[in-house]
Amino acid sequence: MKVKAYGVETPEENLKPLNIERRQLTAKDVHIKIEYCGVCHSDIHTVRNDWGGSKYPVIPGHEIIGRVVEVGSDVKNFKPGQRVGVGCMVDSCGTCPSCQDDLEQFCEERMVGTYNGKDKHSGGHTYGGYSQDIVVDEHFVLNIPENIDPKGTAPLLCAGITTWSPLKHWNIKKGDKVGVIGLGGLGHMGIKFANALGAHVVMITRSESKSKDAKSLGAHEVLISTDKDEMKKHKNSFDFLLNTIPVKHDLNPYLSLLKRDKTICLVGAIEPLEPMHGGSVIAGRKRVSGSLIGGIKETQEMLDFCGEHNITCDVEMIDIQNINTAYDRVTSSDVKYRFVIDMESLN
Amino acid sequence: MKVKAYGVETPEENLKPLNIERRQLTAKDVHIKIEYCGVCHSDIHTVRNDWGGSKYPVIPGHEIIGRVVEVGSDVKNFKPGQRVGVGCMVDSCGTCPSCQDDLEQFCEERMVGTYNGKDKHSGGHTYGGYSQDIVVDEHFVLNIPENIDPKGTAPLLCAGITTWSPLKHWNIKKGDKVGVIGLGGLGHMGIKFANALGAHVVMITRSESKSKDAKSLGAHEVLISTDKDEMKKHKNSFDFLLNTIPVKHDLNPYLSLLKRDKTICLVGAIEPLEPMHGGSVIAGRKRVSGSLIGGIKETQEMLDFCGEHNITCDVEMIDIQNINTAYDRVTSSDVKYRFVIDMESLN
C-alpha cells in the first residue's frame, strides 16, 4: 500500500513529502497507524550520510507511537485499537545466541533497523516512522501503557531504552552512586531512570547552566567536570557512570571517578575517542563498556516500569512541516529534550 | 644493618655496587637472605626514571626468592630456614576496603612498592631485591612450595601474579577460548596459566616467528594479528583476552575478536593507547579493563597452584655483574622469558 511520508532522496536536500510503499500484512504482522514519532540525532546522521552507507530515499524515525489498525492471522498479542510502539529494530534472525537471549540488538546476522535496515520482505531497505503507517512483525511491536502521555512516550523507544538497558544490566539499585554524563535526550532519561531506581544521581556536565534543569529532572547533585577540585572530591566514589556524550571526548578524567571494579558505559559516542591511558583501567581494575539500545523484552519491561512510575520524556511537539528547523535545533543542542512529530500533520 | 646491593644513584648511570641500610627486625618482620631476584621491565623504567618520580638511589627488584634468617616475636607463619618470596608490595594501609578485600595492590592510601615506595619505617623510600638481604612485614611474605625450582619461581611474584590474577578474576575455566596477546615475560605465563586452567589458548602475535615457542608453552593455536582474514575468522569468538602488550597500541582490532559481554584486560601498557572507537564497545557490549599484579592472598594461591601443577617461569640466569647487559637485552626483547639474578654472585 502507498502511504505518505517525509524524507530525502539525496544527502544534500531538506526533508520533503514523499510517497512510499508499505508491505501488505503477513500472518505475523501488525499494521499501525502512526500518531507520534520522536526525532533522534541518528535520524539526522542517516539523512546526511554522516556515518556512510545510507540508502536513499531515507525515511527516518524510530521512536514510533500509534494505534493498531489490523493484525495478521497468527498475531497473538495485539488487537485493533491498541496503542503500540516501535523502536529501533523491526527484525532480526531470531535464532542466534543473542536473539535467543532476548538481545536482538546484538543479533549476529545484524538486527534490521527500523529505517535504512536491510528489508527481508521487500529486498530493499526499511522506511521509518516519519510516515502515516507502518507494518511490523509482531515480535518487534511494544505495548504502550494507556495511562502515560503518548507524546512523551515516543522517545522512550530509543532514548529511553538506551539509558534503561545499561542501568538494569549493571544492576543499579537503591543507594548506588550513579553519574550521568551529558544532559541531552539520553542524559535526561538517564537521570529520571537512575532516580526512579533509587540511586543517588549525580549529573556530570561542563555547563554550570544545566544545574537547575538537572536537579528538576531528579539529579541529587551536579558535578562540573571542568572544576578540578570538585572532580578530585568525587574521585573513586561512583558505582556506575552512564556516559551519554555524543562526540569525541577524553575518558580518563571520568575513569578516575569510579570505584574499583566499576564501569563507565558509553551510549553516545561511536566514533574514535581521545586516547585512553592503560593506567586508567589498570589502577582500580576499572571497566569501560558500552551499550546499544536494548532487547524487545527489556524494552517492554521499561515501558511497563514507566507506566507504573508515570515516567515519560520531556518533549517539544512539532508538525512534520517544521522538521528541517527542528534538525537545525537538534544539531545545535537547542531542545529540551526531544522533538516529537505530531504525525496527524502529515495527513 | 648494612647490606650489599646493586643500583644507581642517578638516572643516567649503569647499575653498580652500593651499600644500603636495612631496618632492624620489628616484632612483625621477617628477615630474608635473598637467593634469587627476577629482572622486570619496571626495574629498568624506574632506574631510568621513565615514568617520572623515581627516588635515588634506586635499588630495583621485586621478584624475590630467599630463605628466612630470623623472624620477629609476633611472626606466626614463618620460621628460619623456610623458603619464601616477596613480590611487588611490602606494605599497605591494611584498613581500607581494598585491603580488607585482600586486594592490597589497590590500597586507597597506595600500596608501598618493594622499591621506590614510601617507606613507613625509614621515612625515606624502599629498596628492592638486588641485594643480599631484605626485612619485610610478615603479611607481605609468601610461602614458596619446596618442590618447584626456586629460580623459575622468582618471576611468579610479578609476571606470574600479573597474569594469574585477571584469569582468576574473570573466572577462566575449562573450555573457555582465551587469547593471550603478546609473547614476553607476561605473555608466556599467561599461556601457561590459561592452559593449566583448562582453557583453549590462542596466542595472538604479530610475529609468525613466535608460533613454535607459543605452542611449546601451551598455546593450542596461534593467531597472527596482521593477517586480516585470520582475524576475521576469529571475530566474536573469544571469552577473554589477556593483553600483555607493553607499549601504545590499537585496541579496536582485538575488541572485534571478543564475544558479546566479554572482556579484554590490559596488564602491560599504562600509557595512552591509540584512540578506541566508542562503537567497538557499544556493539556487543564489550568491556575494556585492566589488572594490577594481585593481592597477597591470591599470590599465595597462585604459588600453591604452581606447586601442585609444577609451573614455573622460563628463565635465563645471570650474575649481578651482568645486569647492565641484561637490561639492554630486555629492552630489545631478547630474553626467553625473564632474567633471574643469582644473588650469590653479590657476596
Side-chain angles (χ1 to χ4, degrees), chain A residues 98 101 103 106 169-170 260 266 269-273 275-279 281-282 284-291, chain B residues 98 101 103 106 169-170 260 266 269-273 275-279 281-282 284-291:
Chain A
S98 291
D101 288 348
L103 296 166
F106 298 127
H169 181 68
W170 275 277
R260 166 169 58 81
L266 280 72
I270 61 164
E271 49 263 87
L273 307 174
M276 182 178 78
H277 295 228
V281 288
I282 289 174
R285 204 163 53 185
K286 298 175 179 181
R287 300 168 179 210
V288 177
S289 192
S291 185
Chain B
S98 290
D101 288 349
L103 296 167
F106 299 125
H169 180 68
W170 275 277
R260 166 168 58 83
L266 279 73
I270 61 166
E271 50 264 87
L273 307 174
M276 183 178 76
H277 294 228
V281 286
I282 288 174
R285 202 162 56 185
K286 297 175 181 183
R287 300 167 178 209
V288 177
S289 190
S291 185

Side-chain angles (χ1 to χ4, degrees), chain A residues 17-48:
Chain A
L18 290 170
N19 288 314
I20 54 166
E21 186 69 27
R22 291 290 187 193
R23 72 171 179 262
Q24 293 304 316
L25 208 68
T26 75
K28 295 166 64 191
D29 283 339
V30 177
H31 174 191
I32 302 161
K33 175 87 186 158
I34 300 175
E35 298 176 293
Y36 306 106
C37 186
V39 175
C40 174
H41 212 136
S42 304
D43 299 354
I44 304 177
H45 288 306
T46 306
V47 160
R48 296 182 183 163

Side-chain angles (χ1 to χ4, degrees), chain B residues 66-80:
Chain B
R67 291 224 184 249
V68 176
V69 175
E70 195 185 357
V71 299
S73 54
D74 292 348
V75 168
K76 290 182 187 74
N77 298 313
F78 299 98
K79 51 176 196 269

Side-chain angles (χ1 to χ4, degrees), chain A residues 7-13 15 41-61 110 115-118 124-127 270 327:
Chain A
V8 295
E9 291 175 301
T10 70
E12 294 80 20
E13 68 190 10
L15 280 83
H41 212 136
S42 304
D43 299 354
I44 304 177
H45 288 306
T46 306
V47 160
R48 296 182 183 163
N49 199 23
D50 290 339
W51 294 328
S54 288
K55 291 179 196 77
Y56 294 85
V58 174
I59 310 296
R110 301 195 96 175
Y115 57 83
N116 252 258
K118 194 173 172 180
H125 64 278
T126 53
Y127 297 133
I270 61 164
Y327 273 22

